Amino acid sequence: MAGGDTNTVAFAKLIIKHPYKVIVSMILLVMAIGYGAQFLQFSTNYRVFFSGENPQLSAFDSLERIYAKTDNILFTIKPNQGNAFSPEVLALV
């Protein structure tokens, strides 16, 4: 047997010998992971990947200051007649 196999067999024997302790341990482990997961965050701000001295980021900031931010989209809907919130217009949208 390879070295990893003996560890696997020993771990399997431990699980078989103490099933209730393993079940309780796994439940506690899942609860601890679930509690910690509430603090995970995902940032959609691309600036977290660049330092403040990054020349490309500085050039992009300069471009945004001169013109405008490019991460916005605006859709305007105007019907030929009637109210934009009528059931017919909303169904088409």
Side-chain angles (χ1 to χ4, degrees):
M1 277 193 203
D5 291 339
T6 57
N7 290 337
T8 305
V9 171
F11 185 63
K13 286 181 181 179
L14 177 73
I15 292 173
I16 292 169
K17 188 174 180 180
H18 304 286
Y20 294 112
K21 289 181 182 178
V22 172
I23 290 171
V24 170
S25 298
M26 290 299 114
I27 290 172
L28 291 174
L29 179 66
V30 168
M31 289 173 60
I33 291 171
Y35 177 75
Q38 70 180 334
F39 301 110
L40 293 176
Q41 295 180 359
F42 180 76
S43 176
T44 57
N45 185 358
Y46 60 87
R47 295 176 187 280
V48 298
F49 300 109
F50 301 100
S51 69
E53 296 83 32
N54 185 289
Q56 288 84 10
L57 183 60
S58 298
F60 184 71
D61 288 339
S62 174
L63 181 79
E64 281 189 337
R65 279 192 301 275
I66 293 170
Y67 298 101
K69 289 189 175 205
T70 58
D71 57 354
N72 298 323
I73 295 177
L74 175 67
F75 289 100
T76 304
I77 298 172
K78 181 179 179 230
N80 292 334
Q81 59 185 1
N83 186 352
F85 296 102
S86 68
E88 297 83 15
V89 173
L90 291 176
L92 289 173
V93 171

